[in-house]
Amino acid sequence: MSPIEQPEGAQRQLTTRRRRTPRLRTLLIGLAIVPILAMSAQALVTAQRLERQSEQLRADVAVGERTDVPLTRLMVRVQAERRMTATRWAGGSVSERELREQRAATDRAADGFRRAADGALAATGREDDHYVAELKHGLADMAAFRKRADARSGSADQTIAYYSDLVERIIRVYQNAFSHAEDPELIQESGLVVTVFTVSEMVARETTILAMAGPSKRLSSSGFVEFVNSVGSQRYQYDEWVAPYLTAEDKAAYDQVFASDGWKTKVRIEDAVISDHKNTASGVKLPREADAWRAAYDQFAPRVAALDAKQGRALLVHADAKATQLENEVVWLIVGNGAAVFALAAVIVLTTRSVLRRLRGLHQRTVAIAEYTLPDVIARLQRGQPVDDAALPAVSGDRDEVGRISDAFAQVVSVSVDGHARLAAERQGFGMFAAGIASRTGNLVSRQLTLTDELQDAFGHDEELLARLMRSDQLTVGMRRQIENLLILAGGEIPDPHTEPMRVADLLREAAAEVEDFRRIERQALDEISVVPRVISEISHLLAELLDNATRFSPPQSKVVVRAELVTDGLLVAIEDRGPRVTASTYEEMNGRLHSAPPYSVLAENAHRLGLFVVGHIAEQLGAQVTLRRSVYGGTSAVVTLPEEHLVPTEPVRVEDEAPRPAATPAPAPGPLDGGGPELLLHAKTGAADRRTPERSPEQPAKSKPPPVSSHTGDGDAKPALPERVPQAHIAEQLRAPHAAETAVERDAATPEEVADAWADYEHGTQTVEEEHRQDEP
């Protein structure tokens, strides 16, 4: 059958499945939408980020435009008031009116800054900035420090430190203006503006320190150290952090200031103070050149302040241009992303339509092969049936993508089929090999049992020898059952020669006779039900395995009870022992082995538990259920449920029809070890309960059965004993008389079930003896 030529039902099922499954077109389009959505999402996130940066820069520019001039004016006014306060404190030529006018200018600059800052924050919707709030708080303390200065309360250094701290807070406001910007150029330019204002502040501090010297030109040691630090800081910061980052135009403007007479005088005075000062007991004596500092500072200070203010305005212009650039980038990003999405969608649609035509056909062939052809091929290989190569896909050799996929799938199918074929061949070969070994070994065991019968007949008068022969016979029977296990696991079947139904009581007796320690088994069965002939041997073997397991794993002195009774689902046979406790997980594991046929690898790893696999295999063939669970006696209970189809009612036997009937059994043919002829079938059976060879009766001493139980009729006449072989059974009557007299037993109070079993054994033994006698006749 080709992969496309499926039966009508299979085609209908394939169509239904295809209808339920999402179409490949939808899947491909869905997969294509994912990158489109991802690209669109990324573009949207980027656009939002750029838009947010632009809005942030616009707000920063708005705040800076409103506060830049007031903030610069405030810094200049605070620096001037600090210098005049220091001069007046040191006794310099600063009148009270001049100081009052300077303070009034400072207050106007502070009020202007407050109004500008509040208006900018309200216009942009921002909350009050932390650094702006700190500056406002510092300005609020200015009146208190002015009073201290006028009253000469405290030290001059504390008052001057207040003004210096106020200037630092102003610089921090500049520093925070664009600190959160994500543009590196803006961050660098913002740092440049802050450094420029810092350098100017260092020069202004030098002016204040020299003013603190007063007419005496004496500085304290701490004042001199601060002067030196200020000189070094302003020179280093300009050379390292300002000059390299200035534009050519701005650097030329600063160079003009540095080339002026005022700046040169400033540098000369700094060098003179540092090198020509004199250390005295009261401090540091400044050189005469320090008198020219005030005139030089007033000459270059306005020009430096103008250049610093220009740097601040340039930063605002650059930030505004950057915000415009970001807005343009958002527009181009949205337009470009839309165009890219449209182009990508068009390519996806065209490519999908061209690919789907071929993929649809490949999909249909692949589904048909995977769901119908390949499972059917594997099933045929496992059954040992031939496979049509035309039903499997072939390699076409196409070089495009779809062709490569098709060829790859064909190669996968070929490798899978070849692997299953080799595995099936190896399994079948091993099964045939194991079955052959089991058949040959079975013939040897049958011959061994026949020889044991002959030895028992010939040397039955020797009680000790007879007991050992009976022990050997029982071990041989166990060996035969193990050979049957091998045959079953190899896939063979146990031949069943029974032609008549067997009572359940007889079936339990036959199964118990297969067990080495059969004397510990107590049987409880009904007579009104029988088992059909074709499954007698299999059921007997299954029960024998469970009984053997129960006797081996329970204490030697304990009993194993097997009972059979009718239930709704058929016949229930329960085997209970008093063995060791078993955990619930172990029961679950063993029941799993009973309900599934394992591969040879599992059998090899569990060679000591093959009985469970054999029971599971037979139960699967019979349609029976076998479950192991904890027994009420504390041991294990094996529950076997046989289907109703294997059961028939027991036919009643009339008294006039109780004459023995011979059971037709085939004589064993010589095996290959006898020098020719076909091999014997393994487990050739009689029509009754014998499971060894046709020449043996089921209740001979080889079964190791106990002595027959005598039963009595109502008038006191005893029935003949069961035909079971016991020690001294073949010795003459006169030789056995003394021993018999010594071992005479009283009347046995046997139960009805035991009497029924004994009578059935008697009838069966009589039939077997007559059959053997008939075969010996010419």
Side-chain angles (χ1 to χ4, degrees):
M1 182 183 303
S2 66
I4 304 302
E5 297 175 357
Q6 300 296 336
E8 182 179 356
Q11 285 287 350
R12 185 163 51 252
Q13 184 178 1
L14 178 61
T15 304
T16 303
R17 181 181 292 262
R18 189 184 304 118
R19 195 180 298 120
R20 293 176 182 174
T21 306
R23 299 187 61 182
L24 184 58
R25 181 191 302 272
T26 305
L27 180 60
L28 289 178
I29 293 177
L31 293 176
I33 290 176
V34 171
I36 294 178
L37 293 178
M39 184 172 62
S40 300
Q42 183 178 4
L44 179 61
V45 171
T46 304
Q48 291 178 347
R49 180 175 59 82
L50 295 177
E51 183 67 21
R52 186 171 59 255
Q53 292 180 18
S54 176
E55 293 176 357
Q56 185 72 34
L57 286 177
R58 290 293 187 191
D60 292 340
V61 170
V63 173
E65 288 178 347
R66 292 197 178 199
T67 60
D68 177 57
V69 174
L71 192 61
T72 304
R73 185 182 296 115
L74 176 61
M75 182 173 62
V76 173
R77 295 292 185 265
V78 171
Q79 289 173 345
E81 183 176 340
R82 179 182 59 184
R83 185 187 69 250
M84 294 181 68
T85 301
T87 303
R88 183 174 176 80
W89 195 301
S93 58
V94 174
S95 64
E96 184 177 352
R97 183 180 60 83
E98 292 176 342
L99 181 59
R100 187 168 53 252
E101 292 177 354
Q102 182 61 48
R103 288 177 176 176
T106 304
D107 291 340
R108 288 192 298 272
D111 292 339
F113 167 74
R114 291 191 188 97
R115 289 193 300 271
D118 294 341
L121 293 176
T124 56
R126 292 184 177 182
E127 297 180 356
D128 199 359
D129 185 80
H130 172 68
Y131 295 101
V132 174
E134 281 188 349
L135 179 57
K136 290 180 180 179
H137 182 71
L139 292 174
D141 296 336
M142 183 175 290
F145 279 95
R146 286 174 178 175
K147 291 181 180 180
R148 293 180 183 179
D150 294 341
R152 299 293 195 276
S153 175
S155 64
D157 292 339
Q158 291 180 348
T159 303
I160 299 305
Y162 161 75
Y163 285 104
S164 300
D165 180 69
L166 204 60
V167 174
E168 289 181 358
R169 293 185 183 187
I170 294 173
I171 295 176
R172 279 199 294 269
V173 173
Y174 276 108
Q175 185 176 4
N176 186 60
F178 297 98
S179 61
H180 54 270
E182 299 182 11
D183 184 76
E185 294 182 2
L186 280 180
I187 295 175
Q188 179 179 343
E189 189 170 352
S190 175
L192 176 63
V193 172
V194 171
T195 307
V196 166
F197 283 120
T198 302
V199 171
S200 298
E201 166 62 10
M202 292 297 104
V203 177
R205 286 189 183 184
E206 293 179 32
T207 304
T208 302
I209 293 172
L210 294 178
M212 288 290 294
S216 63
K217 296 182 179 57
R218 294 182 181 275
L219 286 178
S220 63
S221 299
S222 60
F224 179 78
V225 172
E226 186 177 357
F227 179 86
V228 174
N229 291 337
S230 299
V231 173
S233 176
Q234 58 95 4
R235 291 182 180 181
Y236 174 79
Q237 290 189 44
Y238 179 82
D239 292 339
E240 296 295 332
W241 300 106
V242 175
Y245 302 101
L246 291 173
T247 62
E249 181 182 357
D250 292 339
K251 190 172 185 308
Y254 276 102
D255 289 341
Q256 289 180 0
V257 174
F258 298 155
S260 65
D261 294 337
W263 188 268
K264 291 179 180 180
T265 302
K266 170 243 180 203
V267 174
R268 186 178 65 254
I269 294 174
E270 290 174 343
D271 295 339
V273 170
I274 294 174
S275 59
D276 298 338
H277 68 277
K278 295 180 180 179
N279 294 324
T280 63
S282 59
V284 176
K285 177 69 174 177
L286 299 179
R288 184 179 302 174
E289 287 84 351
D291 295 337
W293 178 271
R294 174 66 183 276
Y297 180 78
D298 291 340
Q299 181 182 1
F300 68 79
R303 298 177 63 184
V304 171
L307 292 177
D308 294 345
K310 181 182 177 183
Q311 293 295 325
R313 289 191 298 271
L315 175 62
L316 296 176
V317 173
H318 187 190
D320 185 70
K322 187 63 179 179
T324 304
Q325 180 183 353
L326 291 176
E327 293 173 353
N328 294 334
E329 289 182 3
V330 170
V331 174
W332 282 109
L333 180 62
I334 295 175
V335 173
N337 180 75
V341 168
F342 178 79
L344 182 59
V347 171
I348 290 174
V349 171
L350 296 177
T351 305
T352 302
R353 293 183 60 184
S354 63
V355 172
L356 282 178
R357 294 188 182 94
R358 298 192 62 192
L359 289 182
R360 189 179 297 110
L362 177 61
H363 173 258
Q364 294 176 356
R365 294 193 301 272
T366 303
V367 171
I369 292 173
E371 295 187 357
Y372 302 104
T373 304
L374 189 57
D376 179 69
V377 168
I378 293 175
R380 293 176 62 87
L381 289 174
Q382 291 178 348
R383 294 192 300 267
Q385 299 175 352
V387 177
D388 185 10
D389 294 338
L392 302 176
V395 178
S396 61
D398 295 338
R399 303 306 301 171
D400 60 346
E401 289 76 5
V402 179
R404 292 177 181 177
I405 294 175
S406 178
D407 291 349
F409 179 74
Q411 293 175 359
V412 170
V413 172
S414 176
V415 172
S416 177
V417 171
D418 290 343
H420 281 87
R422 287 194 298 270
L423 183 61
E426 292 176 359
R427 185 181 183 91
Q428 183 179 6
F430 178 79
M432 295 176 62
F433 169 77
I437 294 297
S439 178
R440 289 174 173 82
T441 308
N443 288 324
L444 295 177
V445 172
S446 297
R447 292 172 59 189
Q448 175 67 28
L449 291 174
T450 302
L451 178 59
T452 303
D453 284 342
E454 294 175 357
L455 292 175
Q456 289 177 358
D457 293 338
F459 302 98
H461 59 278
D462 189 339
E463 183 175 344
E464 181 180 358
L465 179 58
L466 181 61
R468 296 194 177 187
L469 289 175
M470 292 171 64
R471 175 62 176 168
S472 175
D473 181 271
Q474 191 64 39
L475 294 177
T476 307
V477 170
M479 185 186 305
R480 181 191 61 187
R481 184 158 48 83
Q482 296 301 325
I483 295 172
E484 289 179 352
N485 291 346
L486 178 61
L487 183 61
I488 292 171
L489 294 177
E493 296 181 355
I494 304 176
D496 199 334
H498 295 86
T499 58
E500 297 294 335
M502 177 181 289
R503 292 186 312 141
V504 174
D506 295 336
L507 182 63
L508 295 185
R509 185 185 304 107
E510 176 180 302
E514 295 283 337
V515 181
E516 181 178 357
D517 203 359
F518 66 90
R519 293 180 180 85
R520 294 165 49 200
I521 300 175
E522 293 184 359
R523 306 187 304 275
Q524 300 175 10
L526 302 176
D527 290 337
E528 64 270 15
I529 197 68
S530 298
V531 179
V532 296
R534 58 184 174 83
V535 296
I536 292 176
S537 295
E538 293 181 342
I539 297 176
S540 176
H541 191 102
L542 184 147
L543 297 178
E545 284 292 335
L546 294 176
L547 289 171
D548 182 69
N549 184 77
T551 56
R552 285 190 294 111
F553 289 97
S554 58
Q557 68 277 7
S558 64
K559 293 291 186 180
V560 174
V561 180
V562 54
R563 66 178 184 275
E565 53 186 54
L566 289 175
V567 293
T568 304
D569 297 333
L571 179 66
L572 184 142
V573 181
I575 301 173
E576 294 185 348
D577 60 38
R578 301 188 182 183
R581 291 181 178 270
V582 179
T583 62
S585 59
T586 305
Y587 278 128
E588 183 178 357
E589 178 186 358
M590 291 190 295
N591 287 325
R593 291 173 179 168
L594 289 173
H595 298 157
S596 61
Y600 286 141
S601 59
V602 177
L603 293 177
E605 295 176 358
N606 298 271
H608 59 292
R609 295 183 178 178
L610 294 183
L612 291 178
F613 297 123
V614 173
V615 170
H617 189 83
I618 298 177
E620 182 180 1
Q621 292 181 343
L622 295 174
Q625 293 183 357
V626 182
T627 304
L628 300 179
R629 62 191 181 191
R630 185 177 179 182
S631 171
V632 295
Y633 298 107
T636 298
S637 176
V639 180
V640 182
T641 304
L642 296 174
E644 224 177 311
E645 60 186 20
H646 300 324
L647 306 177
V648 293
T650 301
E651 297 181 1
V653 181
R654 295 178 300 176
V655 177
E656 58 271 16
D657 296 336
E658 289 182 355
R661 291 177 297 176
T665 56
L673 298 180
D674 295 343
E679 293 184 2
L680 288 175
L681 287 176
L682 190 60
H683 300 316
K685 301 173 186 269
T686 64
D690 190 11
R691 299 191 63 209
R692 293 179 300 180
T693 61
E695 293 79 14
R696 296 182 56 81
S697 67
E699 303 298 338
Q700 289 178 346
K703 297 286 187 181
S704 301
K705 302 291 284 186
V709 179
S710 300
S711 61
H712 301 274
T713 61
D715 55 1
D717 296 334
K719 294 181 181 180
L722 294 177
E724 293 185 340
R725 184 177 298 151
V726 297
Q728 298 185 357
H730 295 275
I731 303 178
E733 182 67 24
Q734 57 272 24
L735 297 178
R736 294 187 290 110
H739 181 73
E742 295 175 1
T743 59
V745 297
E746 298 179 358
R747 293 186 58 175
D748 186 13
T751 63
E753 290 80 1
E754 292 175 341
V755 173
D757 291 345
W759 181 254
D761 292 342
Y762 167 74
E763 290 179 345
H764 178 67
T766 304
Q767 294 175 6
T768 304
V769 171
E770 290 182 355
E771 177 64 22
E772 293 177 353
H773 179 69
R774 188 181 302 108
Q775 291 178 358
D776 292 339
E777 291 180 355

